Amino acid sequence: MRLFTALRSATGTGPRFVLLMALVTVSSIPLLDGLFAVVLETDNPRRGLDGAVGCLYAAGYDPSSTDLNNLLSTLRRPEALVRCLGEQPESYRGTLATLALLAVAGLVYWWLPKVRDRRRTTLPVEEVDADGTLGAELAALREHTGVRSDLRFRVDPRRLTSGASVYGRTGDYTVCLHAGLLARRGTDPEGFRAVVLHELAHVHHRDVDYAYASTALWRVFVLLVLLPHFAMVGWIVGLALSGTDSPWWPGALPEMLSSVFACLLLAGLVHLARADLLRRRELHADLRAVAWGAHPATWNRPDPPGLVTPLLRRLTALLRTHPDWADRRRVLADAGRLLRVSPLEMFLTGASTSLLYGSLTVLPLLPSSRPDALWPTLALVAPVLCCALGLPVVRAARTDGHTGSGASAGLWLGCGLLVGEFVASGRYRLDWLPQQPQLLLAFLFIGAVPVVWWTQSLRLVLGLSKRGPRWAAAGLCALVTTMLLWAGLLWWRWGGERIALGAGDPDGALAKQYRQMVPGRWQDYGFDLSTLSAGMSLLTPLHGDALVAAAALLSWLVPLVLLLLQRAGPGLRVRRTLGAGLAGGLLSWAGLAAAQFALYVQRPATPKLRAGPFLVVHVWWMIVGLMAACLLTAALVAAFSRRHWLLRALIAAQVVQLMSYGAVFLLYSADGCLGPVNTVFDRCQWHTHNGLIVDRGVTFLTLPNAVLGAGCAALVGAGVAWSVRRLRGRPRPAVPALPAATGPVRRRLRFLKTATVLTLGVPALLVAVVINTQPSSAPVASQLTQDPAAPHRGQAPAEPEGKKSQPTPPARKSKLHTWQVWSWLNNGGARYARQIAAASLALDSQIIKVQTQPRNGNGKVSVDEKPFHRLCGALGTRVEEAQNYLQVPDQGLQDAWSDALARVLSGARDCQTAMIPPKGAPHRTEAERAQLFTTSLNRIVVGVRGLTGTVKDITKAATWAAKK
């Protein structure tokens, strides 16, 4: 109950303190785990190749290469790599050490008040209160404030300043009065009362618990985690500079230094956040003391001159834990200053989000999928954002004031995300900068869109008339805000990060895939194919995800409902927004028709050729036209809207999107009847199936992307409009807060509002359900030109059977290559080879068992076919498992390994066929089956012999350097 009371404190700093302590706790787990790993691996360097690092080395990881090359090498067989990582035992050393760290911090938090009493030799008030008036006055002030916690007053006789302090732990607090304050009591009783009321306000706000808990945790973290980590990095650098041979040096120097930068950022981040929170709690205590009756004139005190210059004092203002007297007076004069969101607060929150996510991804308690760590991160960050951004909006609504749109706060949040991501991801990068660092600017939109959406939607929520619906709508809006932030971060994890590293479409992989899946004259569409490859890498990360689709749907549907529930008035009607959406939809229709007309001159001669690359390119430009119409409409609506510009832009973009889907369906269903805008057919006929296929493909890629992209375009449009107004000297006029809905609503108007929501919401919901409940389809061209006789496309080409390549001579192998091959053996290669050998020995044992049986009268032995069928099947299964394993980090050895496995698998399959022919197989005589069985066994023997020799070569390649 006390914890709940602290979290709902009026100061609003509780969620930020929780986020701060969670960041310190979670960050200590990977740091301590890495520290223990280095300490335990000093006597055995190869122990560092166990676990996840060994899997990466087995996949071809090279610390002397680039991030792009390593990413491509580790993604050759991603399923095998994920399986290898999942088979590794989890390391709980860092978790257990962090629990010990928390225990130490808890002891420090528990004993710190007692240590402070003994160190400063404070005295009870009763020992210095000769006449009892001091104790009576303090009791009266405590009764006046209503503080019910266990509280005692003490005096520090050695502190001559006229101040006081409060410290302690939950339920047990101490207010320490300085000796100078007792002297001030006789000359300035109002000042004495103000100081005491200020300290009692800290107890009332329960911020003492947060302050001392964070202080204890931070000090223990610096002493037991940060300093040992810096010492470890310095020790490793010293070993490298002394000439110690290591494949990590100097290639992994950026990664090592990035770890140091991440720790320095964490240290600076935590200190700035703690200082800001401690300053805010002092200002909140000032306001509470004045509300209890303290005279504001008490704060008219000059700042101490000190030993630093005024300029240096201003520069170090963010590092101090107590505000200046001038800052305190400004807050007392304008309490709204304390509720305004500062850029520093948003920047620190964004950086904390990136660092927290970077640490959560390596925790053993979470799933191995990196995006799964986003939800725990947002569970800590979302309350901070909603509280920090919501309190100013609520206060403005109560006082008929005006707050900004939240764009500035969102951009600062994005800057924090950008800096945190750049530093945190550097711990896993080898390059100083990603190949496309400009893509990091996407974090500005990832942070700004949810923040602006929450700020503007909360204003609409406050316009509702009843308290219950307001709370329900606010909770829903907070959930949608979290989902929007999650969708933006998810796009970065699934697509943006790879594109920034240069792996969006490496070596034209997507273009090659389209050439294989849709054969034709692709050389005529070079530019179109390049834009298709680049655009698909941007659109595909979020397509097909149900939660992303739900976020996109709610991001415009909830504001639409809230707008329609407001009292009708100037600027509140959505008719102009819907009209802008209809105009954008008509523009989209014209644009799609113009794109078809422009592509008409490139149509191949026959419908069969048109259904190839031409149709793929045609559909792609339809997607581009639809996205362009949505983004342009959103930008224009945001630029010319006075209020709720982001919400109106999303609603208008959704109208354009729905109308565009209808246009795509009509254009492809009526193909052949449209003259110069025909696509495939020349004869007029209705093609409903084709229209549905194309429309589904377009919808599948644009359903969430068009809405989320419209939000980004709205930011750009509003930013351009704001810049133009600033240049012209005409800032946007302030708009008062939204009034609550009062008075009866006409039945006709209610019907129109309901019809508007149903007209837009029902089709969008049905489209989202259909798209996300059906499996993703193949490219449109392959569906329109189905050929039953065509082979299945999309499968990886079989490895050619050629001459066995000779392995690279060991003399030319480096130590890094040796570690890679050794990791391949240690993390699965040797195990798969043993399993195949065991299955082969079981088959040999069965053969020997049959040979020792007595023969029949004709000199032959009766063979039970089922055991052979089972043993050959088990051998084939083991071979398939080995084939699905990672490739040997040596091309020659990989060719030999693949050739031997192919021989054994072929023999095992023929053995099964010879024993029990599958259904539908051609009929074979007993002699033919016996011949096939003998041939299959010979092939298995040859394959197993080759596999044994290959394993010996691999083992030699993995151990030659140790013998050298």
Side-chain angles (χ1 to χ4, degrees), residues 708-750:
L708 300 179
C712 299
L715 286 174
V716 175
V720 172
W722 176 83
S723 301
V724 171
R725 284 193 296 268
R726 290 295 297 267
L727 292 175
R728 298 176 60 184
R730 297 179 182 179
R732 185 193 297 264
V735 182
L738 201 62
T742 58
V745 180
R746 291 181 299 173
R747 181 175 301 179
R748 180 181 178 184
L749 183 59
R750 184 180 301 170

Side-chain angles (χ1 to χ4, degrees), residues 613-632:
F614 172 77
L615 182 56
V616 176
V617 170
H618 199 281
V619 174
W620 165 245
W621 287 114
M622 295 297 103
I623 294 175
V624 172
L626 186 150
M627 291 290 297
C630 292
L631 269 58
L632 180 60

Side-chain angles (χ1 to χ4, degrees), residues 836 874-884 900-902 904-905 908:
I836 294 174
L875 178 60
T877 301
R878 296 302 184 186
V879 173
E880 289 178 343
E881 293 175 353
Q883 286 180 330
N884 294 328
L901 291 178
V904 178
L905 181 61

Side-chain angles (χ1 to χ4, degrees), residues 271-407:
H271 181 77
L272 288 174
R274 284 185 64 252
D276 182 61
L277 288 171
L278 294 177
R279 288 195 304 271
R280 283 179 174 268
R281 80 178 191 122
E282 296 294 334
L283 298 175
H284 279 289
D286 290 342
L287 291 175
R288 176 59 62 180
V290 172
W292 280 340
H295 200 285
T298 308
W299 279 262
N300 293 330
R301 302 174 59 185
D303 292 314
L307 299 178
V308 298
T309 63
L311 177 61
L312 183 59
R313 186 174 181 85
R314 286 194 297 270
L315 292 177
T316 59
L318 297 180
L319 303 178
R320 295 195 297 270
T321 57
H322 277 69
D324 295 334
W325 288 105
D327 294 334
R328 292 185 167 190
R329 289 191 293 270
R330 282 192 289 267
V331 170
L332 291 178
D334 181 14
R337 296 174 61 92
L338 192 57
L339 295 178
R340 295 170 190 167
V341 182
S342 65
L344 176 64
E345 182 180 354
M346 288 293 99
F347 178 83
L348 295 177
T349 303
S352 301
T353 303
S354 296
L355 292 179
L356 184 62
Y357 170 79
S359 298
L360 285 173
T361 53
V362 297
L363 293 188
L365 303 177
L366 293 179
S368 58
S369 178
R370 294 184 64 193
D372 291 334
L374 286 175
W375 285 116
T377 303
L378 294 180
L380 294 169
V381 175
V384 175
L385 292 177
C386 292
C387 290
L389 298 167
L391 289 177
V393 177
V394 174
R395 182 181 181 278
R398 292 175 179 175
T399 59
D400 293 333
H402 174 70
T403 57
S405 64

